[in-house]
Amino acid sequence: MTAAADGALAVTEDAYVPDRWSAHPYTEADLPTVLAFFTEPDFYFRTVHPGLAAEAEIVALLDEDTRVLCADGEPVGLYAMAPTDGVSAHYELDFRLRHCAPDTWWTAAYREIEAGLRERTEAVRLTVTAGEFDSRLLGILRGLPLTEEGVLEHVVLHRGRYRGYHHFVQLWGVE
């Protein structure tokens, strides 16, 4: 990972996998960095139209569950994990890394997030969704030890077409 002249993160395809992943709760001090994430046309963190969202709309996507994900101390994405409504030990995860992060980082980040969850609490089920328009995240999730449960079709308008969401799940302690 290197910093370009303008301070932007530059990653090459043969980039290393970060040694140290960390995260901190989103704060107002993170706003400039987070706003820059949403200028990427495929930064689908809780939105299907990141490049079209106004600052107030982006801020509305960020709640007390939102974490800024860092690779070796550099902010590279966002994630949020919350209990599934009314179901003990079931969690839902939203996560997104910057476009320049190689796929190996996405896999490593997911594994770190999942390990952190299991270290803090009992978890039986972790659910992640990806829009069918989001080929990058779909590919990442299909390469992880997740079960694809199906598609909820035609629920969101993306680029003039109604698209669905693929649902992936990881289970522990269930035989």
Side-chain angles (χ1 to χ4, degrees):
M1 173 168 52
T2 60
D6 63 0
L9 182 66
V11 177
T12 60
E13 282 303 313
D14 60 346
Y16 71 99
V17 175
D19 292 326
R20 186 175 52 92
W21 290 94
S22 60
H24 63 268
Y26 166 79
T27 67
E28 277 191 43
D30 296 306
L31 185 59
T33 300
V34 170
L35 291 175
F37 291 163
F38 282 90
T39 63
E40 297 179 0
D42 64 346
F43 196 81
Y44 300 120
F45 182 79
R46 296 179 167 171
T47 181
V48 298
H49 306 291
L52 300 177
E55 182 175 326
E57 293 170 311
I58 293 169
V59 170
L61 300 173
L62 310 171
D63 60 20
E64 67 276 354
D65 296 321
T66 304
R67 302 290 182 264
V68 177
L69 184 62
C70 298
D72 290 337
E74 293 292 324
V76 295
L78 298 174
Y79 81 91
M81 187 164 346
T84 302
D85 291 336
V87 183
S88 177
H90 290 210
Y91 295 87
E92 295 177 10
L93 171 66
D94 290 309
F95 86 108
R96 195 75 195 181
L97 299 186
R98 295 188 53 197
H99 183 78
C100 63
D103 291 357
T104 54
W105 287 28
W106 291 65
T107 300
Y110 172 84
R111 289 186 173 141
E112 289 290 327
I113 293 166
E114 173 256 323
L117 168 69
R118 296 191 67 212
E119 187 175 297
R120 286 187 318 274
T121 188
E122 179 183 1
V124 173
R125 179 185 181 95
L126 179 59
T127 302
V128 185
T129 59
E132 61 186 356
F133 51 84
D134 190 354
S135 58
R136 180 125 192 233
L137 185 56
L138 283 170
I140 301 296
L141 296 175
R142 287 179 173 143
L144 289 167
L146 303 171
T147 301
E148 190 167 354
E149 289 192 316
V151 181
L152 183 57
E153 296 181 345
H154 311 293
V155 295
V156 65
L157 186 62
H158 183 264
R159 296 188 180 164
R161 289 184 47 212
Y162 281 96
R163 309 289 180 108
Y165 280 100
H166 292 256
H167 293 263
F168 294 84
V169 64
Q170 186 166 2
L171 301 171
W172 299 278
V174 178
E175 302 299 324

